[in-house]
Amino acid sequence: MKILVPLKRVADPDNANKVKVTAGKLDTTGMQWKPNPFDEYAVETALRLTENGASTKVRLGEVIVLTVGPKEAETQLRGALATGADRAIRIDATDDDLDGDVVARAIRAVVEKEKPDLILVGKQAVDGDSNQVGQLLAEYLGWPQATFAGTIKSEGDTALLVGREVDGGTLTLRVTLPAVVSVDLRIVAPTSVSSKHSPTHTYADGVRFAALMAIMAAKKKPMVEFKLSELVSDAAAKIAYTTHELPPPRKAGIKVKDVAELVDKLRNEARVV
Amino acid sequence: MIADASFLKSLFCGIIPESMAFPFPGPSRAEAEETLAILDTLKRFMRTVYEPQRGSLDSPISQEILTEAGSLGLFGLSLPRAYGGRQLSPTSFARILQELGALDPSLALIVRAHQTLGAHPLVRHGTVGQKARWLAKMASGQALAGYALTEESAGSDAAGVRTYARSEGTNWVLDGKKIWVTNGPIASVFTVFARTSPVEEGIKPKLTAFVIDRDDGIITNAGINMHGVRGVQVGTLLLENVHLDASRVLGTVGQGFMIAVETLNHARLASASAASGSARQLLDLSIRYARERAAFGRAIGDFGLIKDKIASMLSEVFALESMVFLTTGMLDGAGSDCSIESAACKVFGSEVLQRVAEGAGAIAAGRGFASGHAVERGLRDARHHLVLDGTNEVLRAFIALSGMQAPGRDLANVVKAMREPIKGFGLLGEFAVRKAKSALGRERLTRVHPLLNREVVLFEDYVSDLAKNAEKMLRRHGVAIAEMQYSQRRVADLAIDLYALAAVLSRTSRAIERRGEEGARREVDLACIFAASAEKRMAANVAGFDKNDDEQRKNAAARAYQDGAYPFELF
């Protein structure tokens, strides 16, 4: 099975308090970048679906990671290569010129070249939280889609049984490949992903990390670059950001003397009781 | 004219080899990216595999965890690629050790003792056959390597080695006992140093290094219950009638002392790298605690004396880190001699960590006194850096005496040249020029940002003081300088402070060039704070060469030895 995983770099959530806004624009200089966690889950899912039983050397299929972004975003692609993806594609673009729609159309162009059997995406990126790319992509391709996957069972690599995380439980869909599937947090639980050729061991919870030797070997894996304009004729974004601002700093709380005062404030100031 | 291509040794001659320390070195973009990827993997490993299994950080690290660490690649970080290692550059290796020192000082010690002590002699002196036999197993972590030099009668004094390798045809038979072998109880291969000349009073033994498998008949005990780094197992090694063939000799017969010393030089920088990480960790804890802990209605961090401690810790950790990574940068490039630089890093690193741990203890107060608290453990763990890889007392002597060898050599040559004035004209001329130079002005430091001009003057002045006093001590004591430990200490402390200061000035200048004065405000502040405290120490050391109470102190101690105890009873 050939799987394409689009992957976005996001500001490191652990260092997010260092984000600066200058004149209504996000200032990304000196920011630390990480792969979007949900995209990492998608990579992990792809690796589990292409596992070749107990053999760790050769995959049953191919995992291609793709990003749309500047040269520096190759760091995140190489990270995915180190954990086991086979090759990488970067579509050169600056972050400011993108929205979910341009990204989806750019990926569609790559899909038409690569013809993967499955596209696995994170359900959303933790920076913009747009939750659009997977859905738009499925629509543009005219492919079936299953969003918010918490479990995936491959049926002979021609269809997938996808357990979707929905309110109050799990909704199970059978999607015929090729398809677009977006994954949620629980997809990286130890037994969430299975196929006929899954290894016998259970996985550790979470995504795998690269052995140190693999980090070096990843440098030798293929990485190709496309220009955004080579792939989409109309590269204009449909969403324009008018301004950015940081959330206002929290005001200091107040101390109340007793319950009576608390109730009074809740009733007359906060007006919640 | 650079003394043995060593920055610090050159300072002893009054020469500032600026190009060795400026600009502040750093890895290439690609290397930095790769190192960050390794750090990222390491952090994930620690969070998902290590921490859940580790239990108390005061318990021995289990075999299961060590196996996992091995399959991750931690035991081959610095070992040659040809044998499955990662062959990281000194800078990248130091960066990883720094992180390990922050995450768990015990793991850092296991990892660095294996590579920089146990395996290093094999990397440097092993034959192709020897490497093939052991290095791949060491790089994968399948075989941990131990370094067995210390004995009951031989610690920093390697000449006291009693373990004897008797030659039997082409074979060797070893008998003896080694103590303080880091990883001893769990290692399966050992580099063992034994004398290959019989014990003879007053004659230095010929040492030879051997590679010995546990299966060859080595017995190790279960390990010593230690004060700190309790995750590490350190034990004794018994060799009784261990028969080895000639393939086990590392290097050549009689080369052991050199191998032992060279390995220790290598290991000391690793000690300082790990110490800088542990210090950072304790500093971070202190900053958080100072912000969160409230007393008298405000955060304790608001109080001047807490700020003072945090500022001292910041400037010293900054200086230590700069010093370590200046040294690794020198090693990355053309092979400079960094033996005394590494020793300086080890002494400074262990003492900075000690002071930072004490500062953290003071800030955490009662909480940090509770058994098992991170600061309490940090205080205990910190101490191993003072003791291992050569005590700081011995290293100060090493720094001073090695450093003074260069001026000493010059002096000896000058005396010889004066006997034969015509032949020695060039040499005399050169010496005279340098004397004239140091009389007229200083060797200059030109590549520091002008914002730090005051610190530059300070540095130049004290370099000239170091050179002057090193020469003065040599003239005053001659070969007896080897016994003058008080003077040695002053010389060594001057040298260490100067090296740290050079590193700080170089790193801060780079920061200013990259980010401007405002952007580098933090570095500039810390550089000034460090320089001011170094100035106080250096001034005291320079003054001490001529005005001191050395003799009184010696006499007081000598009388106490006669008395056998503290001599007074108040009533």
Side-chain angles (χ1 to χ4, degrees), chain B residues 292-314:
Chain B
E292 284 162 12
R293 165 82 173 163
F296 306 104
R298 47 186 168 152
I300 60 167
D302 268 1
F303 292 102
L305 289 186
I306 301 292
K307 283 183 181 158
D308 186 59
K309 285 191 212 311
I310 297 283
S312 298
M313 289 156 91
L314 281 166

Side-chain angles (χ1 to χ4, degrees), chain B residues 177-212:
Chain B
K177 183 184 176 192
K178 296 288 182 181
I179 60 171
W180 290 112
V181 181
T182 306
N183 293 339
I186 53 173
S188 41
V189 190
F190 299 87
T191 303
V192 176
F193 296 87
R195 58 162 65 229
T196 38
S197 63
V199 180
E200 245 181 284
E201 212 45 59
I203 294 180
K204 277 197 175 174
K206 275 203 171 73
L207 291 191
T208 301
F210 294 89
V211 191
I212 310 185

Side-chain angles (χ1 to χ4, degrees), chain B residues 191-237:
Chain B
T191 303
V192 176
F193 296 87
R195 58 162 65 229
T196 38
S197 63
V199 180
E200 245 181 284
E201 212 45 59
I203 294 180
K204 277 197 175 174
K206 275 203 171 73
L207 291 191
T208 301
F210 294 89
V211 191
I212 310 185
D213 281 314
R214 178 177 288 276
D215 301 343
D216 292 322
I218 281 186
I219 302 162
T220 59
N221 77 352
I224 302 156
N225 198 1
M226 294 189 296
H227 170 64
V229 282
R230 293 177 152 191
V232 184
Q233 299 187 52
V234 174
T236 59
L237 210 86

Side-chain angles (χ1 to χ4, degrees), chain B residues 29-49:
Chain B
R29 229 192 96 91
E31 191 190 329
E33 189 181 288
E34 205 181 320
T35 309
L36 289 174
I38 294 176
L39 283 177
D40 187 56
T41 285
L42 179 62
K43 283 182 198 152
R44 286 172 191 241
F45 169 78
M46 295 303 281
R47 205 171 45 233
T48 57
V49 179

Side-chain angles (χ1 to χ4, degrees), chain B residues 23-27 449 505-515 520:
Chain B
F24 193 76
H449 192 274
L505 293 178
S506 176
R507 181 174 174 187
T508 307
S509 296
R510 186 184 74 173
I512 300 171
E513 276 153 28
R514 286 189 177 171
R515 283 177 269 124

Side-chain angles (χ1 to χ4, degrees), chain A residues 40 75 78 207 210 212 219, chain B residues 33-34 41 44 48 72 86:
Chain A
E40 284 192 291
T75 304
R78 260 193 287 276
V207 300
L212 303 185
K219 281 203 259 181
Chain B
E33 189 181 288
E34 205 181 320
T41 285
R44 286 172 191 241
T48 57
L72 183 73
R86 284 291 280 101

Side-chain angles (χ1 to χ4, degrees), chain A residues 77-119:
Chain A
L77 289 179
R78 260 193 287 276
L81 293 177
T83 57
D86 298 285
R87 56 193 174 92
I89 298 169
R90 182 174 66 84
I91 302 171
D92 190 55
T94 46
D95 292 326
D96 286 349
D97 301 334
L98 299 175
D99 65 6
D101 181 65
V102 179
V103 171
R105 285 186 287 125
I107 297 174
R108 174 180 59 172
V110 173
V111 170
E112 280 160 4
K113 286 177 200 286
E114 292 285 350
K115 307 201 187 327
D117 304 300
L118 172 64
I119 300 166

